Amino acid sequence: MPMPNPLFSKISAITLFALVQATCFAQEIPLVYDVEHGGAEFSNTVLPDFDNLPTVRPLPDPFAWSDGNGRSTEFRDWARRRSEIKAEIEHYEIGQKPPKPSELSASFENGTLTVRATEGSESLTLTAKVLLPEGDGPFPAVIGIGFGSGTGSLPADIFTSRSIATISFNFNQVMAHQQQRGSEPINRLYPELTHIGAYSAWPWGISRIIDGLELVADELPIDRKRLAVTGCSFAGKMALFAGALDERIALTIAQESGGGGAAAWRVSETLGNVETLGRTSRQWFLEDMFQFSAAVERLPHDHHELMAMVAPRALLILGNPDYEWLADESGYVSCRAAHEVWKTFGIGDRFGFSIVAGHPHCQLPDSQRPEVEAFVDKFLLGKSETNTDVTKHPFDSVEHEFWYDGWAKGESTFPSLDDEHTETLTLEAESSKHGADWRIVSDPEASARKYLTVNLGLNSPQVPPHGDDAAMTISFETTVEAKYYIHARLNCPSPDDDSFWIKIDDGDFQAVNGLGTNGWEWAKLAAAKLNPGMHSITIKYREDGALLDQIGVTTYPFGLNGVFPADK
């Protein structure tokens, strides 16, 4: 019989000890909390004015203190850091989440939870339909948003077959889908907060539903330690904000939330026709947020940190890359960065993402069902042995680490303008091959004192115009295999004069809208993975009045504003 190797035995013992230690540490970290916001005592977050915010092009460090004085990856410091992220998101994006009202009452009758919130002489009433399983309970519960369902857009049987109660949240009782500022139900309670975005107001309503569950605990047998929230699309954003802003929610399932949800603003700026900060709904966010439309790199946070606010609780992100607008490539990068927070705390299995194509928007395919069921089993039913290591995606070729490796690994590989591998080309629009529908106009402010524009009266907003007369085509040569970002130096004076149709090589034309500028400025048109060799960009008019000076092609993710000043 061979003698045991003492070195191997020693290594095995060390490995086993580390595994046991990590398991015990994870068990000590709570799965959920008893209060809405446990970091309320930390109220001194540094929030500079826009003009004083530094430029941070990679995804910001979720562990770095807001005052710039160091960072901490210790879980004991997370409540403070999470509170800082909350303050940043409220200050720069959504507005302050309104406080718990001074008076709150609730009742449960005939399957309906009624919550009445009162401030002074004004009241607001929320009603939520509750479907209870058979038996005495207490039951885990899911709060579903949208589609009149207590499970959001997820199949109801995932929950009902597991004896999980369902609760429908009617967000319109708080604020309409497209709010009229000052005229919404919540504005009666908090008239001083009419500036807030819907993603501040709607999570307030979900928190009040949870308050109501506490008040009627004797009549409504809900296990408040095992609450979930879910929604899809704009309601997927709502679910994510609700889970981030209320620590009494044990599991958040944000389905196809897109820009403003799981996707990172910074990364989305480097993609094509997606929901960027400048293109999202103004009713959902603060009006002040849109000062970052052309400067997302000055936000002190990004949405990997919105997701990180859910930690150490459980979060599952569902995506659908068939819909370009959802910016799932950005969501993927953001998820990879956010996951580092859970992994740092030794609880990586509490965060997962599944980005799967081949199905309609907000309709869960069978291929994603196992991920949802696993998270439900583990975090609502307490089946701790369930495998929730979920990182399903189609983005194997997407480079993601450079967005966050500076703080995750201690050495940044984020590309810079002076990187030897960065390639940048600028081309004069008036030198392109262009049809009879275009004309060259002189302007001393243009780069070569000339620009190109379409003849007045020519508009084609629904489909690309036919024929070569409607097109301008410009050729260029690349020398590396890389993702290239197509920008244009434009003067688009109004919302009726700020769009084009564009295609790269033999691809399909895509509408690029919302290119409004303040005089001559660089704006992103598209992005594409290109091989070395000759390529072409073809632009057709969509709205007359949009003025085109230069085309820029670069491998630098943040385009040409850092290369050429906007007024050059």
Side-chain angles (χ1 to χ4, degrees):
M1 180 176 180
M3 294 293 290
N5 185 326
L7 177 60
F8 177 78
S9 299
K10 182 177 180 180
I11 293 174
S12 299
I14 293 172
T15 302
L16 179 62
F17 175 76
L19 179 62
V20 171
Q21 187 178 43
T23 301
C24 293
F25 180 59
Q27 289 174 344
E28 294 172 358
I29 295 181
L31 287 162
V32 70
Y33 295 86
D34 294 324
V35 296
E36 183 176 344
H37 174 40
E41 64 187 280
F42 305 109
S43 58
N44 59 344
T45 304
V46 176
L47 301 168
D49 293 336
F50 177 83
D51 291 339
N52 295 317
L53 287 166
T55 294
V56 181
R57 298 196 186 280
L59 294 177
D61 184 352
F63 299 112
W65 302 119
S66 64
D67 62 6
N69 291 322
R71 65 196 299 267
S72 174
T73 57
E74 298 294 329
F75 181 72
R76 64 175 177 267
D77 291 324
W78 182 241
R80 174 187 163 194
R81 178 58 192 142
R82 180 185 171 278
S83 183
E84 290 186 340
I85 297 170
K86 175 179 183 291
E88 290 173 351
I89 290 173
E90 289 183 340
H91 183 76
Y92 296 108
E93 282 202 26
I94 62 172
Q96 176 192 347
K97 181 183 178 183
K100 183 176 180 179
S102 56
E103 295 181 41
L104 198 70
S105 61
S107 62
F108 179 66
E109 187 176 359
N110 297 324
T112 298
L113 172 66
T114 301
V115 180
R116 185 177 177 86
T118 303
E119 285 286 355
S121 61
E122 295 289 346
S123 294
L124 182 153
T125 299
L126 303 173
T127 56
K129 184 178 180 181
V130 181
L131 294 179
L132 290 171
E134 293 183 1
D136 297 328
F139 305 104
V142 57
I143 300 171
I145 308 164
F147 296 92
S149 166
T151 63
S153 300
L154 297 178
D157 67 286
I158 290 178
F159 302 94
T160 57
S161 66
R162 289 169 166 77
S163 295
I164 296 170
T166 66
I167 303 170
S168 300
F169 175 61
N170 184 353
F171 61 86
N172 282 306
Q173 293 178 336
V174 178
M175 181 175 283
H177 177 253
Q178 294 292 317
Q179 68 157 311
Q180 299 294 318
R181 294 187 189 273
S183 301
E184 300 299 323
I186 196 170
N187 298 148
R188 298 197 307 270
L189 296 189
Y190 306 103
E192 74 280 9
L193 297 178
T194 57
H195 62 284
I196 65 173
Y199 289 123
S200 175
W202 290 329
W204 174 91
I206 291 172
S207 292
R208 304 296 69 84
I209 293 292
I210 297 173
D211 290 340
L213 295 176
E214 296 174 353
L215 293 173
V216 298
D218 292 340
E219 301 100 71
L220 184 53
I222 298 297
D223 183 352
R224 298 191 309 280
K225 288 287 189 182
R226 293 182 177 173
L227 293 177
V229 64
T230 187
C232 185
S233 196
F234 85 94
K237 302 187 215 320
M238 194 189 311
L240 180 55
F241 275 101
L245 294 171
D246 196 320
E247 295 183 281
R248 296 171 295 180
I249 296 171
L251 170 62
T252 300
I253 305 175
Q255 184 182 11
E256 300 180 35
S257 60
W265 295 128
R266 284 167 169 80
V267 183
S268 294
E269 283 295 324
T270 70
L271 303 179
N273 186 29
V274 303
E275 186 177 10
T276 60
L277 186 151
R279 293 176 176 176
T280 196
S281 171
R282 288 180 175 266
Q283 283 71 33
W284 297 342
F285 297 90
L286 288 172
E287 281 286 351
D288 283 351
M289 185 187 80
F290 293 90
Q291 66 187 319
F292 293 96
S293 294
V296 295
E297 66 274 14
R298 298 183 72 174
L299 275 172
H301 65 276
D302 214 316
H303 278 218
H304 66 300
E305 291 172 285
L306 172 65
M307 289 189 283
M309 282 184 63
V310 178
R313 297 164 293 127
L315 172 61
L316 175 62
I317 299 295
L318 302 175
N320 183 351
D322 284 346
Y323 296 84
E324 182 183 9
W325 183 251
L326 296 175
D328 271 335
E329 181 178 331
S330 173
Y332 164 69
V333 174
S334 188
C335 282
R336 285 295 193 188
H339 201 184
E340 293 296 319
V341 173
W342 277 266
K343 290 194 293 185
T344 296
F345 297 145
I347 50 173
D349 62 335
R350 298 187 192 180
F351 177 85
F353 59 90
S354 174
I355 305 171
V356 174
H359 60 95
H361 185 41
C362 292
Q363 294 185 31
L364 188 80
D366 290 342
S367 59
Q368 274 186 321
R369 190 178 175 109
E371 293 94 272
V372 177
E373 291 178 332
F375 270 75
V376 168
D377 285 344
K378 190 166 192 172
F379 300 110
L380 290 190
L381 301 185
K383 297 181 179 180
S384 58
E385 73 283 357
T386 305
N387 182 5
T388 52
D389 292 324
V390 177
T391 56
K392 185 186 291 186
H393 64 89
F395 298 116
D396 288 337
S397 63
V398 172
E399 298 180 16
H400 57 88
E401 288 191 340
F402 72 76
W403 284 100
Y404 58 89
D405 56 9
W407 50 264
K409 296 185 176 182
E411 183 176 352
S412 177
T413 59
F414 193 83
S416 62
L417 286 172
D418 55 2
D419 191 313
E420 63 181 25
H421 301 295
T422 297
E423 182 170 66
T424 298
L425 309 167
T426 56
L427 311 158
E428 292 294 333
E430 67 273 12
S431 298
S432 67
K433 177 183 176 183
H434 54 274
D437 291 341
W438 296 81
R439 58 195 172 96
I440 297 174
V441 180
S442 297
D443 183 348
E445 298 299 320
S447 60
R449 307 179 73 84
K450 295 178 182 178
Y451 65 83
L452 193 66
T453 189
V454 71
N455 293 325
L456 292 175
L458 294 178
N459 294 279
S460 184
Q462 301 303 321
V463 295
H466 295 293
D468 292 339
D469 281 347
M472 64 84 71
T473 301
I474 198 160
S475 299
F476 61 97
E477 184 176 8
T478 61
T479 62
V480 295
E481 180 181 351
K483 190 170 190 176
Y484 284 81
Y485 305 92
I486 314 302
H487 293 251
R489 189 169 186 259
L490 305 168
N491 189 339
C492 296
S494 79
D496 296 324
D497 306 299
D498 66 346
S499 67
F500 296 98
W501 294 98
I502 181 172
K503 75 171 184 177
I504 301 171
D505 293 333
D506 294 324
D508 295 329
F509 277 103
Q510 301 290 330
V512 184
N513 198 4
L515 298 171
T517 65
N518 183 16
W520 289 109
E521 292 181 335
W522 287 100
K524 178 173 65 67
L525 301 182
K529 189 75 173 289
L530 300 178
N531 293 318
M534 294 301 300
H535 299 276
S536 65
I537 298 167
T538 302
I539 295 176
K540 290 191 172 184
Y541 63 81
R542 190 171 182 272
E543 297 171 310
D544 64 351
L547 315 181
L548 184 56
D549 181 16
Q550 287 179 296
I551 301 295
V553 181
T554 181
T555 57
Y556 182 59
F558 279 91
L560 299 177
N561 281 316
V563 182
F564 304 108
D567 59 352
K568 183 175 180 180

